[in-house]
Amino acid sequence: MVKLTGVYKGMRKGYGETLIELGKKYENLVVLDADLSGSTQTAMFAKEFPDRFFNAGVAEQNMIGMAAGLATTDKIVFASSFSMFASGRAWEIIRNLVAYPKLNVKIVATHAGITVGEDGASHQMCEDIAIMRAIPNMVVIAPTDYYHTKNVIRVIADYKGPVYVRMPRRDTEIIYENEEEATFEIGKGKVLVEGDDLTIIATGEEVPEALRAAEILKENGISAEIVEMATIKPIDEEIIKKSKDFVVTVEDHNIIGGLGGAVAEVIASNGLNKKLLRIGINDVFGRSGKADELLKYYGLDGESIAKRIMEEMKKE
C-alpha cells in the first residue's frame, strides 16, 4: 500500500547505492560519468570499484562512445550525467552507437525536469522523454521514489539493451514502505489507488503529487484512480485502455512528446472514447527558482493539479 509519508530521500542516492550492490553481483558491470559523479552519486561506485569506473570528463559524447565500445566486450554499462547533457548533447551518439546496434548501455540521467531549480532554463531538461522515446530500441523510464529507483536499476541491469532512466535533482517524497512494496516491471503500469470518476496517470516525482491531488479531490467528492506509469516506452497500453473515461496525465516534462503525448497516441490509435487532460510544462522554457516554488508556478503541485481537474470537470 502506498501513502504520502512526508519523508524525502534522493532517487540518485538510491541509484548510487544500488550500483555498489550490482557491482558486487556482476564482475562485468562498469560505470562511466562525465565529471559529475558527486552529483549523480556514481562516486559511490568509483570509491568501491575504482578499476571499473571511468570519468570521461566534460565530454558526454565521448562518454557514450566509450560506453558503446565497452558494451561490445560483454560489459553491463551504466553511463551518467545530468539529463540535459546525457540526452541532449549526446543524442546523436546514443542513436547511432547505442540504440542502432542495440547495445547493452544504461543511460541514467539525473537533474531532469523543472525542479533542477536555480540552475534555470539552460539546465532544466523538460524534453528528454520526448527525444529519447523517439529512438528505436530505447526503453524510457522515470522512477517514482528512492525505493522504486533501487528496483528500477536492478531490473535494467538484467535487461539486455539500451535504457534511458531520468530522475530529479531534489530529494522526493517516499510513497513506498520498503523495497519489497516498490515493485517494477518494464512496460507495466501500476494502479496505486482505486477510483471511480477519473484516472490520473503520473510518472516520476509527480506520482506523490498525484496522490496529494487525489486526497484533495476526495475531500471534494471526486474519486480518482491513480496509475503509476514508470515506463513511458514501451508504455502499458492495456492499463490505459482500462482507465476511466476522463484521463489526466501528470509529468515534470513538456506535455508535447512526453507521458501525455504517449497516452494520447494510445487513446487515438485504439479509437478510445476518452477525454484527455495533459498536465505538465506547457511548451515553454523553465526559469530559475526553488524547486517547490517552480512546481507551484507551473501547476505541478498536488493542490494545483486538483484545482485544474475540478475546473475541467465543471466544463462537462
Side-chain angles (χ1 to χ4, degrees):
M1 183 175 178
V2 299
K3 63 178 181 179
L4 294 168
T5 63
V7 178
Y8 290 75
K9 199 167 185 178
M11 294 188 205
R12 51 196 175 122
K13 182 175 177 62
Y15 171 48
E17 292 171 351
T18 308
L19 281 179
I20 294 175
E21 171 195 316
L22 293 172
K24 294 174 181 176
K25 183 178 180 181
Y26 301 111
E27 292 184 358
N28 64 329
L29 187 143
V30 297
V31 176
L32 291 80
D33 205 292
D35 209 32
L36 290 168
S37 60
S39 296
T40 63
Q41 301 292 299
T42 60
M44 296 186 196
F45 184 92
K47 185 177 180 180
E48 190 81 16
F49 305 101
D51 293 339
R52 287 194 270 154
F53 176 82
F54 304 92
N55 182 2
V58 187
E60 292 81 8
Q61 294 173 333
N62 286 346
M63 177 183 71
I64 297 300
M66 291 165 61
L70 286 163
T72 65
T73 66
D74 200 33
K75 297 288 192 295
I76 302 169
V77 186
F78 281 82
S80 291
S81 183
F82 291 0
S83 59
M84 175 58 69
F85 311 130
S87 64
R89 185 173 295 168
W91 188 88
E92 182 263 329
I93 315 299
I94 292 169
R95 179 191 186 274
N96 288 337
L97 295 189
V98 174
Y100 183 44
K102 203 173 182 180
L103 294 179
N104 198 22
V105 175
K106 324 301 175 185
I107 301 156
V108 181
T110 65
H111 294 60
I114 207 75
T115 56
V116 171
E118 289 87 349
D119 287 354
S122 63
H123 283 56
Q124 290 164 334
M125 188 51 158
C126 299
E127 305 87 15
D128 55 328
I129 293 175
I131 64 175
M132 295 306 285
R133 80 180 186 93
I135 304 176
N137 295 329
M138 185 63 71
V139 172
V140 180
I141 300 168
T144 297
D145 71 1
Y146 166 79
Y147 290 125
H148 197 242
T149 298
K150 292 172 82 71
N151 283 330
V152 165
I153 300 305
R154 291 180 184 121
V155 169
I156 67 171
D158 289 331
Y159 172 82
K160 295 292 195 297
V163 179
Y164 176 76
V165 178
R166 65 155 8 212
M167 58 186 70
R169 172 190 193 177
R170 68 174 189 147
D171 289 354
T172 55
E173 189 163 3
I174 291 175
I175 66 166
Y176 288 106
E177 292 184 12
N178 49 51
E179 293 174 30
E180 288 70 31
E181 292 283 334
T183 57
F184 172 75
E185 183 179 349
I186 291 175
K188 295 294 182 183
K190 191 192 307 179
V191 176
L192 301 182
V193 176
E194 301 285 350
D196 300 320
D197 298 323
L198 74 150
T199 298
I200 302 176
I201 303 176
T203 193
E205 64 176 312
E206 282 302 297
V207 175
E209 298 303 330
L211 291 172
R212 191 166 285 109
E215 291 184 350
I216 298 170
L217 291 170
K218 187 177 181 179
E219 292 170 0
N220 287 271
I222 300 169
S223 174
E225 175 185 58
I226 305 297
V227 172
E228 172 192 79
M229 194 70 82
T231 312
I232 299 97
K233 182 186 177 184
I235 200 161
D236 189 340
E237 293 200 11
E238 291 306 311
I239 206 167
I240 297 170
K241 290 176 183 177
K242 294 175 183 176
S243 63
K244 309 305 174 186
D245 291 340
F246 180 27
V247 178
V248 179
T249 58
V250 184
E251 60 193 310
D252 181 9
H253 184 276
N254 197 327
I255 60 171
I256 297 175
L259 173 66
V263 172
E265 290 163 14
V266 173
I267 291 173
S269 297
N270 289 279
L272 303 177
N273 186 24
K274 296 181 186 293
K275 178 179 180 177
L276 175 64
L277 171 64
R278 296 171 297 159
I279 296 178
I281 307 301
N282 294 313
D283 198 28
V284 295
F285 286 107
R287 58 187 298 174
S288 298
K290 295 185 183 302
D292 289 343
E293 294 173 351
L294 288 169
L295 279 182
K296 192 168 186 64
Y297 180 84
Y298 288 98
L300 294 175
D301 62 299
E303 185 178 351
S304 298
I305 293 166
K307 182 180 178 182
R308 178 84 186 280
I309 289 170
M310 287 188 284
E311 289 172 351
E312 197 67 27
M313 293 182 78
K314 286 179 182 176
K315 297 178 183 178
E316 297 178 357

